[in-house]
Amino acid sequence: MAHRPELAGELTGIGATALGVAFLRAEESRRADRLFDDPYARTFLDADGVARSVWTAAPASTGPGFAELMADQVAVRTRFLDRALLEAAGAGCAQVVLLACGLDTRAFRLDWPAGTRVFEVDFADVLAFRRTCLAGHGVLARCDRVEVPADLRDDWPGALVEAGLRPHVPTAWLAEGILYALPADAADLLLDRITCASAPGSVLALDHMEDSEPLRAARRAISAELVDLWRGGPAGDLASWLRGRGWRPALRDLGEVAAGYRRPVPPAFDPDRAGTGRGWLVTARLVEDRR
Ligand SMILES: C[S@@+](CC[C@H](N)C(=O)[O-])C[C@H]1O[C@@H](n2cnc3c(N)ncnc32)[C@H](O)[C@@H]1O
């Protein structure tokens, strides 16, 4: 997870991956049959100054580019995770933590139950970039929003508690677009820390995916740095990984969820194509107290 802090207005390294997601959310929001509307995603691209063509670059092999491979993955996961968080908040998780939130705008665009507090964790420069972009657009949070600048390799639970998180009441956690950027031991540590900061009844929502040659080629077409950012995430199967720490998981295959939204299987995860990987969307409920 190489990271070079920059002034707000320019994102590099892993922080720049948040711009790729924002690009796809902006594109999805233009569709008549969109799965969600993120009216702020375009603001980040306008501010960044990086040509949008970066994200649509096709690999030299003439295979599909990042946007083509990932557009439906991002659209489907965003819709699924929007619902998962709102359901958890509606069912009593009055505090929500968006880990590695990047340019996520859920605090501004979702209809949160009254009294919901949303904590947003990412590098300080990523949070500052988002704040600077949204300032001046009259964008108001629809919850009690708390930014928590932190490096997920450091003591981020301590930073959250200092910012007001109450570990003794249930929390809805989101780990979106982050697990595959972690080596297995860092993924384990992340889940251990989430678990230790969670009361029973907490909910964890996440996406995960396997790497594949088409995805590697698409990342290579953007930058060598992006190729190296992929570390694979948890070793072994996701359900056991979660169950072993007291969570009761519900795993959904990405293609299945896409079909439910009348979207094609995202091409990098289509089992009928050669060289593809699997993708999952997961919600899990903590059933044991591990604190
Ligand atoms: C692919 S983006 C996903 C952003 C967001 N979750 C979404 O899906 O829109 C990955 C995010 O992880 C953040 N990130 C990566 N490593 C991190 C770390 N060690 N500490 C804090 N944030 C990190 C990056 O800054 C970036 O915003």
Side-chain angles (χ1 to χ4, degrees):
M1 280 191 294
H3 178 72
R4 180 161 57 91
E6 295 283 349
L7 293 176
E10 189 189 344
L11 291 183
T12 58
I14 184 98
T17 60
L19 278 165
V21 183
F23 169 75
L24 296 178
R25 291 201 176 119
E27 292 298 298
E28 175 70 17
S29 301
R30 286 151 51 108
R31 292 176 60 140
D33 66 344
R34 58 185 166 261
L35 297 182
F36 59 87
D37 187 19
D38 184 346
Y40 312 116
R42 192 149 298 277
T43 311
F44 306 125
L45 303 167
D46 292 343
D48 180 63
V50 172
R52 285 163 204 205
S53 57
V54 162
W55 305 106
T56 52
S61 60
T62 69
F66 168 81
E68 196 182 326
L69 288 174
M70 291 299 290
D72 280 315
Q73 194 272 356
V74 168
V76 167
R77 90 185 199 205
T78 303
R79 161 81 164 255
F80 179 91
L81 296 170
D82 280 1
R83 294 284 163 94
L85 291 176
L86 285 178
E87 271 176 34
C93 292
Q95 48 186 14
V96 177
V97 179
L98 311 180
L99 293 166
C101 64
L103 303 176
D104 184 319
T105 61
R106 288 186 173 93
F108 304 95
R109 65 179 179 79
L110 295 186
D111 194 10
W112 296 102
T116 307
R117 192 167 225 208
V118 176
F119 297 88
E120 303 177 309
V121 183
D122 208 301
F123 292 116
D125 60 338
V126 174
L127 296 173
F129 175 84
R130 190 183 52 168
R131 199 182 320 118
T132 307
C133 293
L134 294 179
H137 288 269
V139 182
L140 294 179
R142 302 176 72 176
C143 56
D144 178 8
R145 188 179 75 87
V146 184
E147 288 185 3
V148 184
D151 186 325
L152 290 176
R153 292 165 293 191
D154 299 336
D155 177 23
W156 56 267
L160 268 172
V161 169
E162 209 167 291
L165 185 86
R166 294 182 300 146
H168 293 281
V169 298
T171 301
W173 300 90
L174 177 65
E176 180 186 20
I178 185 66
L179 274 192
Y180 29 82
L182 303 175
D185 56 346
D188 289 351
L189 181 60
L190 184 81
L191 183 56
D192 286 340
R193 284 171 159 172
I194 292 171
T195 308
C196 283
S198 295
S202 293
V203 170
L204 170 59
L206 58 88
D207 74 313
H208 191 43
M209 59 174 102
E210 289 177 334
D211 204 4
S212 61
E213 189 41 42
L215 280 174
R216 274 189 293 276
R219 292 202 304 281
R220 220 176 287 126
I222 297 172
S223 74
E225 193 180 18
L226 213 51
V227 179
D228 294 339
L229 289 178
W230 199 287
R231 300 291 165 82
D237 82 286
L238 270 182
S240 310
W241 183 66
L242 289 158
R243 269 193 219 107
R245 289 168 174 85
W247 297 83
R248 186 180 298 150
L251 263 72
R252 303 282 308 277
D253 177 78
L254 181 65
E256 227 177 77
V257 180
Y261 297 158
R262 297 174 187 220
R263 284 295 169 95
V265 184
F269 309 97
D270 184 348
D272 293 337
R273 291 182 182 224
T276 55
R278 290 171 302 170
W280 301 272
L281 292 166
V282 180
T283 54
R285 178 170 295 277
L286 189 67
V287 290
E288 289 173 32
D289 199 339
R290 296 289 184 106
R291 288 164 299 161

